[in-house]
Amino acid sequence: MAVSRHTRRMNLIAHGVGLGFALFSVLPIVWLVITSFKTEAEIVTDTITFLPQSLQLQNYRDVWAQSNYPSLMWNSIVTTFYTVTICMVAGSLAAYSFSRNAFPLRRELMLFYLVVRMFPAVLIIIPLFLILRTVGLLDTRFGLSLAYASFLLPLFVWMMKGFFDAVPPDLERAARIDGCTRIGAMVRVVLPLVKGGLGACAVFVAIGAWNEYLFALMLTSSAGSRTWPVGLQMMVGEFQLPWGLLAASGVISILPVVALFAIVQRAMVRGLTVGAIKG
Amino acid sequence: MNALAIRNIQKSFGALKVLNGIDLTLEEGGFLVLLGPSGCGKSTLLSIIAGLEDASAGSIEIGGREATGLHPRDRDIAMVFQSYALYPSMQVERNMGFGLEMRGAGVDERKEKVGAAADLLGIGALLERKPAQLSGGQRQRVAMGRAIVRKPRLFLLDEPLSNLDAKLRTKMRGEIKKLHQSLGASIVYVTHDQVEAMTLATKVAVMRGGTIEQIGAPMTIYREPDNLFVAGFIGAPPMNFVRGRIVEGGGFAPDGGGDRITMPAMEHRLEPGREIVLGVRPENLRPIPPGVSPEGLLRFNAVPDVIEPMGADTMVHFRVGQSELIARLDGQTEVSGSAPMELGCEASALHLFDATTEQRLRPA
Amino acid sequence: MGVGVDSGRRPFTGGRLGRAIGAMSETRSWPFLLIVPSLLVILLVVLYPTLHGISLSFREMRLTRPDLGTGFVGLRHYVDLWHDDIFWRSLANTFKWVTLAVSLELAMGMISALALNREGPLMRICTVLVLLPWFLPNVVAANMWALMLDARLGVVNELLVRMGLIDSYVAWFATPTSGLLAAVFIEAWHGYPFFTLLILAGLKAIPKDLYQAASVDGAGSYQAFRNITLPMLRMIVVTAVILRVISLANSPELLLILTGGGPGDSTQVISLYAFKTAYESFDFGYAGALSVVTLLLLMVFCVIYLRVSRVLEK
Ligand SMILES: Nc1ncnc2c1ncn2[C@@H]1O[C@H](COP(=O)(O)OP(=O)(O)OP(=O)(O)O)[C@@H](O)[C@H]1O
Ligand SMILES: [Mg+2]
């Protein structure tokens, strides 16, 4: 049959193309991992070797022992934790309200939560710098996480609203008749049902905060609050680059991202799409 | 004492008026069915009774106690939702006992009461399951069970059977009737299925567009519908209507031509020229053997269009003027297509409505 | 024993505070109360800073020159901007940068999504892998590619030479044109999964029977794509393009790390220029003016783009 042969050929091509894109996406990351296991001599060479001669862990040891990377990571962890907490508390409540209530100006408010994404980062960074300096939160992890909330909280609200929308409102009505208050119905009946979505949104926000560079560069300056992206970039000197060290730091830093993404990717992809399509 | 008394309840969503002044009462142990087409405000009314929505105006008394403005928790009611609204994250046992839990009942008390309710409904074996692991009928039972565990004063049921297949629906209908009798509870039941209304209710309120068109015992509503809408809504297949006018000599001329119909002697005073609607229930029509002309019958000359033998009954479709009519005849009746026949209806089973007001004409 | 024990006589309500919140949740203002925390945060860290930033663009504010004060200077920054060659070059670069990157990402996203829109575990795994770059931090992505494109050590050069596509190693970031193109390429690698994700979701939402009906009518796969897929995807593509344009125009992160604007200002975009003005020269007033211009241009873009693509009318 002509049609089915045509379809099969299309299918084959599609698989080829899909696989091609997957490789295109992943191979650079693989190269980063490979590089991190090479010695400096193997990297800085005239004849490139594709695989390391032996699995060198020296770069990782150096990152761990000889740089301030652990403390940079710790700062990032704390900042990320603050950011996720702010988003989870403030964002879930707002998303729930948007999902459940028809009140005046609801549409306009939600639109406003979207529009704030249009404001240039620099336009926000400068006054934030001044504000944080005034209230004494400049160069602190909490101040940085507040800044992160400026672009992550609106996203969180939109994504989370999609998950709340999927829960039938009759459940809260039933819970209220069973004796719950409104907040009780939300906590006891609705939240358990959006656990997956909440986790995905939290991971999304966590990744965003973990990866951020620009705000961190501007709003932190001391070792006590500097996050790893800024620290990593500071390793990039003017002339001789410590490629092995950089690669190892990079691998360590993206490990949590990849792990978290792998765990919640399905729910997160759904949430992202819902948020983005509706927005 | 009344289990429920509602006075002048009104409700608007923004500019949309959904309920325009509802008044009704339900006596203790009664079974009130709210019946009406989709969107007429039945669920809204139920939500207001439950306290899930606030009425724009009016007041509610439950069990002789003012309930307007009370939290749903404090109204001593239970509700069964069309979607069942079982908590997906909880096992059946916790689902059923959740209301008790929220009221501070201890584990033992909960176990005992849930167990008793489960036995009554035959779902004792399902207590460990999550709602997702239940069939539609089982979910329905759990939802009923959750309502009866607390032994509330008033049950509110919003189309509890509409998600079941026809067979299960008939079965559950019987069970609800039995439950009502054994619990002696007062029930408000929303449906747009008039069979459910007829079989279950002690009292039916037929609603349309946010108002109650008629309220009364099911058989009263069946026998003496107040207006065209109620007459057409109750009964399956629905009542036949023929529009036309009274002519000199007491006859009836259907709109759009067709044979003039001789009206039986009636107590109504119908002056010639008056436009009316003639209503005849399909089950009130019966064949008149050729050559016989009994007195006191309204008679149609019918040429069957479609004949539907259904076993016990045979449905015969025919036309009078512009109207299509259905007769529900005994399954034994010999009917052959295209052979003219005469169908008659007792004068007492005839319904007359004013063509413009659509209200029932009562004997003067 | 505390109140929170499930077996207790009273249900868990979180103590007195919990009951107070519970009572609050029954009031009419509850929907607004829920929004208050997030609204406060957003007003505080977004709206107020933005308005403040706009007002700064009309004032003098140089942290390195406190002697100048912070007085109102009217439109002076905007006038300066008009006569600033770097600004005009940045504007042109921004235009090139955003257009090239978004077109490339859209094309790659569309093709990959069409390919990945099949059943089966292989394509599911591929989808996850394709999405991976998007979650990579700019810092890692930029430095990783800097190494791979390095003029002496770069594996890309090695591969291209082995394939016979170039004769000898190329210093990609040495000339303005190749520098910009290399940056666009890296941005595309980093950003195309966003389009894949959204378009894939859009494709999955198209009812299958539309295609069956079309094939019964004798439409080939290209016609089906033209007449069914593209129209159904329009809303999503427009949304994705807008979001992407906004973030590309607003965030200088990748270029800041990768090129710092070079070589020879060829990747100096407005957002980067603004950031450097703020971060290196601490001239907050001028940086504010640059950002306000970005914001205005973006707003104009959104309005025109929505009008041209006519998605809102339907
Ligand atoms: N929250 C709301 N906001 C606006 N309009 C509403 C709302 N809830 C219900 N309505 C409208 O009120 C009317 C009555 O709705 P209701 O749900 O009470 O109808 P119903 O009789 O239960 O119908 P059905 O048989 O389909 O369940 C409908 O027109 C509906 O659109
Ligand atoms: Mg309803």
Side-chain angles (χ1 to χ4, degrees):
Chain A
M1 290 259 311
V3 175
S4 85
R5 194 185 306 149
H6 175 75
T7 320
R8 218 177 307 146
R9 200 167 61 217
M10 289 294 284
N11 230 332
L12 207 65
I13 295 175
H15 274 77
V17 173
L19 206 60
F21 271 104
L23 289 178
F24 171 67
S25 276
V26 169
L27 282 184
I29 303 171
V30 172
W31 186 251
L32 179 76
V33 176
I34 290 177
T35 307
S36 73
F37 289 119
K38 286 180 175 174
T39 60
E40 207 60 29
E42 272 180 281
I43 300 170
V44 186
T45 168
D46 290 335
T47 48
I48 286 174
T49 52
F50 283 93
L51 288 176
Q53 272 135 20
S54 64
L55 223 54
Q56 290 290 336
L57 290 177
Q58 193 54 43
N59 291 323
Y60 288 92
R61 252 178 252 133
D62 288 352
V63 167
W64 200 248
Q66 288 174 21
S67 71
N68 58 347
Y69 217 68
S71 85
L72 293 172
M73 299 267 285
W74 176 246
N75 288 336
S76 276
I77 290 173
V78 173
T79 309
T80 302
F81 174 77
Y82 287 153
T83 312
V84 170
T85 308
I86 294 172
C87 287
M88 292 253 272
V89 175
S92 304
L93 295 179
Y96 184 66
S97 181
F98 284 140
S99 163
R100 283 300 190 262
N101 304 297
F103 48 85
L105 293 183
R106 185 185 77 128
R107 257 182 61 85
E108 287 72 10
L109 257 176
M110 288 187 58
L111 217 60
F112 170 69
Y113 276 43
L114 261 192
V115 165
V116 297
R117 279 206 257 174
M118 220 160 91
F119 301 159
V122 181
L123 193 59
I124 295 176
I125 284 185
I126 301 168
L128 264 183
F129 178 92
L130 299 171
I131 296 168
L132 292 179
R133 196 178 58 172
T134 311
V135 298
L137 284 175
L138 191 65
D139 196 22
T140 64
R141 297 175 291 207
F142 182 67
L144 188 57
S145 66
L146 271 180
Y148 287 168
S150 70
F151 59 94
L152 291 174
L153 183 59
L155 264 176
F156 184 95
V157 170
W158 271 86
M159 281 171 67
M160 212 45 225
K161 176 178 175 287
F163 286 106
F164 280 128
D165 282 345
V167 178
D170 270 357
L171 291 182
E172 287 121 291
R173 293 153 59 83
R176 275 162 64 65
I177 289 181
D178 270 342
C180 291
T181 56
R182 283 208 172 85
I183 184 82
M186 176 191 171
V187 171
R188 283 160 205 274
V189 174
V190 181
L191 280 188
L193 297 178
V194 296
K195 268 193 312 224
L198 200 61
C201 294
V203 165
F204 182 78
V205 166
I207 292 178
W210 180 259
N211 287 349
E212 211 281 336
Y213 173 68
L214 202 68
F215 280 72
L217 183 60
M218 185 82 188
L219 302 178
T220 63
S221 52
S222 69
S225 58
R226 188 179 298 135
T227 57
W228 74 263
V230 179
L232 185 128
Q233 194 55 30
M234 285 168 74
M235 281 193 222
V236 181
E238 275 294 305
F239 300 104
Q240 186 63 43
L241 299 188
W243 285 116
L245 223 57
L246 277 177
S249 316
V251 170
I252 294 176
S253 318
I254 64 176
L255 223 54
V257 174
V258 174
L260 286 175
F261 173 61
I263 293 171
V264 297
Q265 52 94 5
R266 209 168 273 191
M268 179 151 66
V269 165
R270 198 169 75 91
L272 276 177
T273 350
V274 168
I277 289 177
K278 285 190 181 157
Chain B
M1 188 174 55
N2 284 323
L4 174 71
I6 291 177
R7 272 178 299 278
N8 190 30
I9 286 288
Q10 303 183 18
K11 176 71 181 174
S12 308
F13 290 110
L16 178 71
K17 276 207 101 173
V18 176
L19 297 175
N20 326 297
I22 302 281
D23 290 280
L24 55 80
T25 55
L26 175 64
E27 59 286 357
E28 200 74 55
F31 197 125
L32 170 70
V33 170
L34 299 176
L35 180 66
S38 194
C40 69
K42 307 180 295 288
S43 298
T44 308
L45 181 57
L46 210 60
S47 297
I48 290 174
I49 298 174
L52 295 168
E53 300 264 9
D54 289 330
S56 312
S59 68
I60 298 171
E61 243 174 52
I62 295 174
R65 203 160 53 101
E66 181 64 34
T68 323
L70 277 189
H71 189 281
R73 170 186 53 213
D74 305 322
R75 294 186 179 213
D76 205 2
I77 50 159
M79 188 157 171
V80 176
F81 294 83
Q82 183 177 1
S83 60
Y84 309 144
L86 301 177
Y87 312 122
S89 55
M90 303 178 194
Q91 291 178 344
V92 166
E93 178 161 21
R94 177 124 191 263
N95 250 295
M96 288 173 62
F98 193 66
L100 293 172
E101 188 183 321
M102 287 301 105
R103 282 167 176 75
V107 176
D108 298 336
E109 184 189 350
R110 263 150 45 196
K111 226 180 177 65
E112 184 200 317
K113 289 188 172 167
V114 169
D119 287 343
L120 192 63
L121 289 157
I123 48 173
L126 306 177
L127 291 181
E128 305 288 306
R129 298 210 201 158
K130 292 269 181 78
Q133 301 164 313
L134 300 176
S135 72
Q138 290 169 334
R139 280 179 213 180
Q140 213 283 329
R141 279 166 204 268
V142 175
M144 292 292 300
R146 183 170 67 182
I148 64 179
V149 159
R150 270 193 291 117
K151 296 206 167 39
R153 171 156 243 143
L154 182 65
F155 288 89
L156 307 173
L157 285 70
D158 193 352
E159 307 198 30
L161 303 183
S162 64
N163 281 334
L164 302 178
D165 61 52
K167 211 165 158 192
L168 208 49
R169 191 155 34 191
T170 314
K171 183 163 183 278
M172 285 311 295
R173 201 170 67 206
E175 295 206 8
I176 290 181
K177 184 148 192 162
K178 256 190 273 165
L179 266 179
H180 174 234
Q181 282 158 359
S182 64
L183 295 175
S186 316
I187 297 181
V188 181
Y189 185 107
V190 164
T191 181
H192 47 228
D193 182 322
Q194 49 99 21
V195 179
E196 282 172 26
M198 294 299 291
T199 51
L200 292 172
T202 58
K203 197 173 193 179
V204 176
V206 182
M207 292 179 64
R208 173 170 64 163
T211 44
I212 292 184
E213 295 282 335
Q214 188 174 2
I215 183 163
M219 281 319 279
T220 315
I221 289 185
Y222 174 80
R223 291 208 190 97
E224 287 179 40
D226 273 349
N227 55 42
L228 268 188
F229 174 77
V230 176
F233 203 81
I234 299 272
M239 186 187 280
N240 297 305
F241 296 120
V242 185
R243 284 179 180 274
R245 66 180 68 227
I246 302 292
V247 290
E248 298 286 349
F252 176 81
D255 284 352
D259 291 344
R260 176 175 298 190
I261 296 167
T262 316
M263 297 278 284
M266 296 189 71
E267 295 161 32
H268 296 78
R269 196 175 327 128
L270 296 168
E271 60 280 15
R274 174 133 193 211
E275 303 206 358
I276 62 164
V277 179
L278 212 60
V280 183
R281 292 205 182 272
E283 53 270 36
N284 292 139
L285 286 166
R286 56 189 166 82
I288 301 170
V292 186
S293 69
E295 280 305 301
L297 281 190
L298 178 78
R299 279 177 290 176
F300 295 107
N301 288 316
V303 183
D305 282 338
V306 181
I307 299 167
E308 298 171 317
M310 307 183 74
D313 306 314
T314 300
M315 302 291 178
V316 177
H317 298 241
F318 61 100
R319 298 178 150 275
V320 171
Q322 286 174 323
S323 317
E324 283 197 39
L325 274 59
I326 300 178
R328 177 183 197 156
L329 307 181
D330 191 302
Q332 309 292 335
T333 320
E334 293 274 332
V335 190
S336 70
S338 72
M341 60 191 300
E342 211 174 7
L343 295 168
C345 168
E346 298 283 347
S348 59
L350 207 55
H351 305 263
L352 300 183
F353 302 94
D354 186 281
T356 36
T357 65
E358 302 200 337
Q359 294 301 309
R360 182 182 193 86
L361 297 178
R362 306 210 179 258
Chain C
M1 265 197 157
V3 192
V5 180
D6 198 339
S7 56
R9 290 293 305 169
R10 249 178 320 161
F12 175 64
T13 49
R16 192 181 303 175
L17 178 68
R19 271 193 296 278
I21 295 177
M24 212 153 74
S25 80
E26 294 296 336
T27 61
R28 261 173 197 288
S29 45
W30 180 237
F32 296 101
L33 291 178
L34 283 174
I35 295 175
V36 166
S38 71
L39 200 59
L40 273 183
V41 172
I42 287 187
L43 290 181
L44 213 73
V45 297
V46 187
L47 193 65
Y48 174 71
T50 305
L51 296 178
H52 191 137
I54 292 173
S55 89
L56 273 183
S57 74
F58 299 106
R59 291 190 4 221
E60 189 69 71
M61 162 93 53
R62 292 196 209 185
L63 293 199
T64 49
R65 298 280 308 277
D67 51 304
L68 293 176
T70 57
F72 185 72
V73 296
L75 289 177
R76 208 192 69 212
H77 292 310
Y78 293 92
V79 175
D80 287 352
L81 211 130
W82 188 261
H83 299 292
D84 182 354
D85 282 346
I86 305 183
F87 165 70
W88 290 108
R89 229 169 307 145
S90 309
L91 194 61
N93 284 336
T94 306
F95 186 73
K96 277 189 238 167
W97 163 248
V98 172
T99 321
L100 286 174
V102 168
S103 338
L104 194 58
E105 287 176 12
L106 176 59
M108 287 163 68
M110 180 68 85
I111 296 169
S112 60
L114 285 171
L116 291 169
N117 185 27
R118 327 251 141 187
E119 305 297 321
L122 180 63
M123 289 295 101
R124 253 210 319 279
I125 294 170
C126 283
T127 306
V128 176
L129 294 183
V130 161
L131 297 183
L132 207 50
W134 199 46
F135 293 99
L136 233 53
N138 275 316
V139 194
V140 171
N143 286 309
M144 183 179 85
W145 278 102
L147 169 63
M148 287 197 295
L149 291 175
D150 193 86
R152 212 160 53 81
L153 318 169
V155 66
V156 173
N157 276 322
E158 176 70 18
L159 288 173
L160 290 178
V161 167
R162 285 200 189 183
M163 286 191 287
L165 292 175
I166 51 176
D167 295 330
S168 60
Y169 282 18
V170 175
W172 299 102
F173 287 107
T175 71
T177 311
S178 69
L180 178 68
L181 290 182
V184 165
F185 173 78
I186 295 170
E187 170 53 47
W189 175 84
H190 197 202
Y192 90 94
F194 176 71
F195 284 90
T196 311
L197 181 67
L198 290 193
I199 294 174
L200 202 53
L203 287 173
K204 295 232 153 92
I206 299 177
K208 294 274 174 296
D209 39 352
L210 279 184
Y211 291 105
Q212 278 157 13
S215 81
V216 168
D217 290 344
S221 28
Y222 173 71
Q223 279 150 326
F225 177 73
R226 262 307 307 256
N227 298 321
I228 300 172
T229 314
L230 274 189
M232 296 288 282
L233 284 182
R234 195 158 94 167
M235 188 68 199
I236 289 205
V237 169
V238 169
T239 314
V241 166
I242 287 194
L243 292 178
R244 202 70 198 121
V245 166
I246 289 175
S247 74
L248 274 172
N250 275 343
S251 171
E253 250 189 46
L254 187 79
L255 289 176
L256 177 67
I257 299 161
L258 197 61
T259 66
D265 279 345
S266 67
T267 58
Q268 177 82 282
V269 293
I270 293 194
S271 59
L272 183 53
Y273 185 35
F275 184 76
K276 288 205 292 192
T277 307
Y279 181 68
E280 285 165 11
S281 330
F282 283 98
D283 187 348
F284 285 2
Y286 196 58
L290 284 166
S291 301
V292 169
V293 170
T294 316
L295 180 60
L296 289 178
L297 289 176
L298 274 178
M299 277 156 73
V300 171
F301 160 79
C302 284
V303 170
I304 293 177
Y305 185 68
L306 285 176
R307 186 131 322 148
V308 170
S309 58
R310 277 183 294 203
V311 280
L312 292 187
E313 282 153 39
K314 290 212 205 158

